[in-house]
Amino acid sequence: MSEKGNVGQYTFDEYLDLIGRFHSYPAPGLIVGGYMVEMAKRHMPEGVLYDAISEAASCLPDAIQLLTPCTAGNGWLKIVNLDRYALSLFNKFTGEGVRVFLDVDKLGGYDEIRSWYLKLKSKREQDSDKLRQQMREAGESVLTMQAVKAAPRFIGKTSKGAIAVCPLCGEAFPKAHGAICKGCQGEAPYVETGESEILVQPRLASVSVEQAAGKTTLHDMTRIVPDQSKGAEFKAGQQLSVGDVCRLQQMGRMHVYVQGDAQPGPEWVHEDEAAEAFAEVLCREGSLEKKGPPHEGKITLLAAQDGLLVVDENLLEALNLVPDVMCATRHCYSVVRRGEAVAGTRAIPLYLSRPNLHKALSVLNKGPVLRVAPLRRARAGLLITGTEVFQGIIQDKFAPTLTPKIETLGGTVVKTLIRPDDRQAIRDGVKELLGAGADLIVTTAGLSVDPDDVTRQGLQDAGATDMLYGMPVLPGAMTLLARIGNVQVLGVPACALFFKTTSFDLLLPRLLADLPVTRRDLARLGHGAMCKECVECKYPHCPFGK
């Protein structure tokens, strides 16, 4: 270790001068960052080429760039902004390295550092001289180091790939980003000025209905009869007759757009062409299909197979942020049948500007906005727990409740066991179900806080891992998820005996679709996961879990 207070080859005062000139002032974060970098460097094998990761976006990257060859410009420094004051240096080929962080538990003797780090004082209240002195005295003693291995995405150099020219702004960009550059996709860090989002529409040929006979319509025209019907009375490309004039007037049409010589230029796209373009990309993945050609400017998308509708809500939002474009879907995680309508898309105006078409297609090309995930035909094993049921004191009601729900989704129950509230008996029961070929094990009850409830412990003894216990769903707060190897485990609390719909109904389709369920996914269920406890349950035609 270098002389106390020194930062690598620099004395403390020399380092203060260096960071003052580079960073505009000797920020405390850069002082600590210097010690962090030097500590990490000293523990890297000599001669190893290394990259760096900064887990903070401010101050710490400057310390790395000052004291190592790693910079944001040469790509050897990656900033992963976790807002943690930590950095790592790692072998750029293997990912093996060290991570150093400022350790709160080591700040007991340094009150000013602690106040600065935990923001217990405002900047104005801080004693800058005392803070620097404590940092000089503390040096590396307030740091902790640990061995790490960088994730594969941070190892090696990533090529930008082929380069294209954006058709909107004319600037070069990586073709992998989509049909247009990210700036034109809405990610530019600037406020748009000038032209409003509500663009002036192209000049179209419009005639009064009295003059419409013999003309050809430019778009579908809808007729609505209240409480009876809604549909296209006239289709795009239809030639109007004298007899149509009265019908148009009854529909409240005094003027109509017709095909003429003054057609919009190539910078405009007809609503039908735009809808076709959107639908083509939306259906590319293969689990959706078009209901038919555009109808009244809209295309309806159908499920091409039975399964679970999965919607990328972030992509859907991004698409609907594009001016003059829309796509509406059914709720994510809805169980759907082949042929059911799951979404609809269209351009809002009769003609969509080509820049907005490009923006929409760029969003759509980032991945499937929606898809129908097939449900596997599960081989379920039911493990009914409860000493009172095992001893015949009460009759089991779980199996008659859960079996139809599993069968409705295409699964079968290969075996049902009843076991007492005994840890070993539950473990052995799980193993028996595994031996019967179950790829989904459903346990019942034994999940509350009572001392007799040992289902979790029995599952752990049977080899359950990745256990998630508890979720913001009512009824079903004490539900459990886990796995034993590749076999899924779903623990159902006793509330399923009373309520017709519980967390079981929300989670089972996701498991059968082989979708990962994380703690974050469960946390997001909280909004809308309180059952209204209707006298007559109408799930899934209700807001529960949506």
Side-chain angles (χ1 to χ4, degrees), residues 52 190 477:
Y190 313 110

Side-chain angles (χ1 to χ4, degrees), residues 266 289 347:
E289 60 188 10

Side-chain angles (χ1 to χ4, degrees), residues 72 93 99 125 149 185 241 264 302 321 347 403 431 521 544:
F93 301 109
R99 177 178 183 267
E125 293 173 321
K149 185 170 183 178
Q185 290 175 32
S241 67
L302 310 177
L321 283 172
T403 299
K431 291 186 175 181
D521 293 324
F544 179 62

Side-chain angles (χ1 to χ4, degrees), residues 178-221:
I180 57 177
C181 72
K182 286 189 175 182
C184 292
Q185 290 175 32
E187 297 185 27
Y190 313 110
V191 177
E192 292 187 14
T193 58
E195 193 174 55
S196 167
E197 284 188 347
I198 304 175
L199 296 174
V200 176
Q201 286 290 297
R203 187 178 298 277
L204 304 174
S206 171
V207 298
S208 65
V209 291
E210 291 82 1
Q211 300 172 315
K215 306 290 185 180
T216 302
T217 59
L218 192 58
H219 62 98
D220 291 359
M221 287 180 277

Side-chain angles (χ1 to χ4, degrees), residues 43 65 187 194 287 355 359 396 446 460 532:
H43 287 84
Q65 294 181 113
E187 297 185 27
S287 62
K359 290 180 182 179
D396 169 53
Q460 287 175 327
K532 293 174 66 177

Side-chain angles (χ1 to χ4, degrees), residues 361-514:
L361 292 177
S362 178
V363 173
L364 289 170
N365 280 310
K366 289 182 177 179
V369 173
L370 64 157
R371 61 188 176 92
V372 177
L375 302 181
R376 79 173 194 279
R377 297 186 178 277
R379 292 173 52 81
L382 298 186
L383 182 62
I384 313 301
T385 69
T387 302
E388 70 281 12
V389 183
F390 182 75
Q391 294 179 350
I393 298 173
I394 66 170
Q395 184 179 1
D396 169 53
K397 298 292 184 181
F398 271 113
T401 299
L402 300 180
T403 299
K405 295 185 177 186
I406 294 170
E407 292 175 345
T408 297
L409 295 178
T412 57
V413 175
V414 296
K415 196 165 192 175
T416 300
L417 300 175
I418 299 176
R419 291 292 180 265
D421 291 314
D422 176 80
R423 185 168 179 167
Q424 183 174 337
I426 291 171
R427 180 200 66 186
D428 294 343
V430 170
K431 291 186 175 181
E432 186 174 339
L433 293 176
L434 292 173
D439 60 19
L440 169 67
I441 292 177
V442 180
T443 69
T444 66
L447 295 170
S448 75
V449 297
D450 295 334
D452 292 330
D453 290 339
V454 292
T455 298
R456 280 181 291 158
Q457 294 88 332
L459 288 171
Q460 287 175 327
D461 294 345
T465 60
D466 299 337
M467 190 175 290
L468 296 173
Y469 172 61
M471 54 198 66
V473 178
L474 293 173
M478 292 182 178
T479 302
L480 178 147
L481 285 172
R483 66 179 180 86
I484 302 175
N486 293 324
V487 176
Q488 298 164 322
V489 179
L490 177 54
V492 181
C495 61
L497 289 175
F498 179 77
F499 295 97
K500 183 176 180 181
T501 304
T502 68
S503 54
F504 178 80
D505 302 270
L506 302 181
L507 294 174
L508 180 62
R510 298 197 198 188
L511 296 181
L512 299 186
D514 291 322

Side-chain angles (χ1 to χ4, degrees), residues 14-15 160 218 344 407 437:
E14 287 173 342
Y15 184 64
K160 290 182 179 180
L218 192 58
E407 292 175 345

